[in-house]
Amino acid sequence: MHSTFGQELKISVWGASHAPEIGITITGLPAGERFDLNEIQAFLNRRKGGQNAFSTKRSEADAPVIQCGVNWENESTFVTDGGKLTALFINNNVRSSDYDEMKYIPRPSHADYTSYVKYGDELDRSGGGIFSGRMTLPICFAGAVCMKLMKDRGIEVFGHIYSVENIADTPFDLTNPDRNAIGKEFPVIDKEAGERMVKMMTGIAGDGDSVGGIIECAVTGLPAGVGEPLYDSMEALISHMIFGIPAVKGIEFGCGFKAGKMRGSECNDPFVIRDGKVKTLKNNSGGIQGGITNGMPVIFRVCMKPTPSIYKEQKTINMKEMTETTLSLIGRHDPCIVPRAVPCIEAAAAIAVYNLLVLYDNGRKQFGTIREEIDSLDEKIAGLLCERMELASEIAKEKKAKNLPIRNEEREEAVLRHVEEVGGEKTGKYIRNVYRKLIDETCLLEEEYLDE
Ligand SMILES: Cc1cc2nc3c(=O)[nH]c(=O)nc-3n(C[C@H](O)[C@H](O)[C@H](O)COP(=O)(O)O)c2cc1C
């Protein structure tokens, strides 16, 4: 059974809904990255069940047990050690007996039938087995890790409920989606629409039925140039991960399927320069062209089908006896998956985007397009030079007090020798020259201080 994803950051998920535990192994994390377990837990809690009338009554702690790959600084802070990180989650609140009678009676539109055809009795299908929504918990863990790594670079991933059945939230502004506009309690922008959704979902739960919806997700702060042509495009990798979330039926980027009804003059995103940066006036492309980010927010929408497990009587079969029958479910299910799936979608997208970001970083190094890196280094160097020169004023005061000359050849030579050594065989002599000039300029500054 294949349940891995990713090249640069590889995730591998295991376990099943009613197994003693489920978990994830993440390979390729950089060493020395610091994480706050409380922040990760807060993210995981967003997908927790048992919290309201429209989610499953199954309630678990959902607390990760990190087995390897980290060093603990204190009980809630860990630092990656560069090895494989394995986190597992104990399944405590399991009621497998709910599934005993339906072992050979597949729930319509769940994976019971297809997984039986493929794996037979060997596979534990109780509670949906590996096809259960529970398997999104380890994905959310890996997603939280990727989100933290990207947030440190100003990249954020956030989503909201775009619609449930026919009730629609305010959509994102495609050119400038606002994370802060999304409610903390219930992930919608329009509070009133959210209240109507909650009322409708609660009613549906009471009817023993289920309902689907759409989630809109944004990735902001990505530089232009992330994503590979053709098969590892930004759309391809995000979609690959997103379809690993059970109950996903479709995905569209930017203006999505509406593009099929537009003319080029309406659909194209005109380029402009704003504050020296390339932007587009619209964002029907969803921030991606040719599979590569263009620097605008990456925006996509995901369609989630209604939960297949419903309590209304349904036609089905007995797979063993090859007879037709009906099924009236018992068990605990989400009448609407959409609210719990919002963090799952964010997490899946974060894992995909992080993989492409690592490729982007590697590519930039490989092909020498490192101007931005030089600019950022220059900023740091200039800051440090400033600090160094300010210290010169202190030295100048001391020299004046002690009546010492500004130039001190012995000290200068020691500094030059030291930086030459630091620079090493190849660049040492050049760094020495730079420092020769730096010392001359610093002495001029000291003289200025003395004159004052
Ligand atoms: C967070 C989450 C919770 C889910 N909860 C349930 C559930 O309670 N009952 C159910 O039948 N399906 C649930 N699903 C969906 C099924 O796992 C999914 O429909 C099933 O595996 C078949 O896969 P498919 O719909 O992708 O074809 C959930 C999915 C997610 C993402």
Side-chain angles (χ1 to χ4, degrees):
M1 191 180 287
H2 193 82
S3 52
T4 60
F5 172 88
Q7 295 282 331
E8 322 317 307
L9 182 100
K10 191 169 176 176
I11 56 157
S12 182
V13 173
W14 79 87
S17 183
H18 290 181
E21 63 200 30
I22 55 175
I24 190 157
T25 297
I26 310 173
T27 317
L29 279 173
E33 295 291 343
R34 185 169 280 94
F35 293 88
D36 181 346
L37 192 60
N38 295 326
E39 272 175 24
I40 294 180
Q41 188 65 63
F43 182 71
L44 300 181
N45 290 349
R46 285 178 52 206
R47 76 158 284 292
K48 240 185 189 183
Q51 304 191 100
N52 44 49
F54 47 87
S55 72
T56 172
K57 298 284 169 288
R58 179 174 176 180
S59 177
E60 298 269 12
D62 288 356
V65 182
I66 301 180
Q67 296 218 301
C68 60
V70 306
N71 292 305
W72 290 90
E73 274 189 358
N74 55 50
E75 63 182 21
S76 63
T77 312
F78 64 84
V79 180
T80 49
D81 68 9
K84 283 185 183 184
L85 190 160
T86 294
L88 60 85
F89 298 84
I90 310 292
N91 289 330
N92 274 320
N93 191 359
V94 171
R95 272 191 359 209
S96 298
S97 56
D98 287 351
Y99 291 82
D100 285 352
E101 277 182 26
M102 42 178 279
K103 192 166 177 198
Y104 296 108
I105 317 239
R107 288 167 290 174
S109 293
H110 208 293
D112 302 341
Y113 172 68
T114 50
S115 60
Y116 178 69
V117 171
K118 192 166 169 74
Y119 301 108
D121 276 332
E122 301 308 316
L123 188 75
D124 170 16
R125 290 194 307 280
S126 176
I130 197 168
F131 303 93
S132 163
R134 176 116 185 105
M135 300 311 294
T136 55
L137 175 59
I139 291 298
C140 282
F141 177 86
V145 166
C146 291
M147 274 189 242
K148 154 74 173 62
L149 292 174
M150 293 198 288
K151 199 173 175 194
D152 291 347
R153 298 174 63 166
I155 299 162
E156 296 203 276
V157 186
F158 50 91
H160 72 119
I161 301 176
Y162 181 83
S163 63
V164 177
E165 207 171 47
N166 290 321
I167 307 174
D169 189 17
T170 307
F172 278 146
D173 171 350
L174 293 185
T175 58
N176 188 20
D178 181 5
R179 165 167 230 158
N180 297 321
I182 304 168
K184 299 271 177 288
E185 296 287 309
F186 190 69
V188 286
I189 297 168
D190 178 351
K191 204 165 167 244
E192 192 268 329
E195 280 161 8
R196 282 192 289 132
M197 287 176 192
V198 168
K199 199 166 163 209
M200 186 263 281
M201 289 185 295
T202 311
I204 295 270
D207 287 350
D209 212 338
S210 66
V211 66
I214 296 172
I215 293 166
E216 189 173 44
C217 188
V219 188
T220 57
L222 275 171
V226 187
E228 304 297 312
L230 306 181
Y231 313 112
D232 288 333
S233 73
M234 183 56 82
E235 290 112 319
L237 257 64
I238 289 181
S239 305
H240 191 164
M241 264 311 293
I242 292 292
F243 277 108
I245 306 290
V248 167
K249 276 292 159 196
I251 185 165
E252 59 173 16
F253 290 82
C255 67
F257 281 85
K258 280 190 199 146
K261 292 184 178 166
M262 290 182 190
R263 300 216 167 151
S265 52
E266 188 192 352
C267 189
N268 289 351
D269 299 327
F271 285 112
V272 288
I273 311 278
R274 293 284 178 270
D275 300 326
K277 289 191 177 138
V278 176
K279 300 267 171 202
T280 59
L281 284 178
K282 294 185 274 178
N283 189 17
N284 285 327
S285 310
I288 308 166
Q289 283 144 355
I292 299 169
T293 55
N294 64 4
M296 294 297 286
V298 167
I299 303 207
F300 60 92
R301 282 169 292 281
V302 175
C303 169
M304 313 284 308
K305 73 184 193 186
T307 318
S309 301
I310 56 172
Y311 300 98
K312 285 181 184 288
E313 190 180 272
Q314 297 177 87
K315 262 176 99 84
T316 183
I317 54 169
N318 184 313
M319 300 185 285
K320 204 162 192 186
E321 293 168 5
M322 284 301 283
T323 51
E324 290 188 3
T325 182
T326 57
L327 176 67
S328 296
L329 264 184
I330 49 170
R332 301 164 297 176
H333 301 283
D334 294 287
C336 183
I337 294 164
V338 179
R340 291 185 63 205
V342 175
C344 307
I345 297 297
E346 292 169 353
I351 294 166
V353 173
Y354 182 77
N355 263 280
L356 288 173
L357 204 58
V358 177
L359 268 182
Y360 164 83
D361 289 341
N362 294 346
R364 274 157 52 90
K365 280 181 192 125
Q366 245 171 351
F367 299 114
T369 50
I370 49 174
R371 228 178 230 161
E372 269 176 44
E373 235 166 277
I374 289 180
D375 288 349
S376 117
L377 274 179
D378 279 345
E379 210 171 301
K380 285 184 201 152
I381 293 170
L384 288 172
L385 287 178
C386 248
E387 266 179 54
R388 193 186 191 280
M389 288 184 153
E390 270 163 25
L391 286 177
S393 71
E394 301 299 318
I395 298 275
K397 273 187 222 152
E398 211 176 305
K399 283 181 179 166
K400 192 175 185 183
K402 292 184 180 161
N403 212 11
L404 293 170
I406 284 183
R407 310 256 9 172
N408 175 344
E409 267 181 40
E410 211 178 305
R411 160 80 183 144
E412 287 175 19
E413 183 50 33
V415 171
L416 293 176
R417 226 178 307 125
H418 176 66
V419 293
E420 191 171 352
E421 259 172 47
V422 173
E425 208 182 318
K426 258 199 170 151
T427 48
K429 63 176 186 241
Y430 300 105
I431 293 188
R432 184 187 170 98
N433 291 342
V434 171
Y435 260 74
R436 173 83 275 158
K437 186 79 185 135
L438 176 64
I439 291 173
D440 290 345
E441 295 297 318
T442 308
C443 288
L444 286 178
L445 188 68
E446 283 183 33
E447 268 167 23
E448 245 178 64
Y449 280 128
L450 286 184
D451 289 347
E452 279 168 20

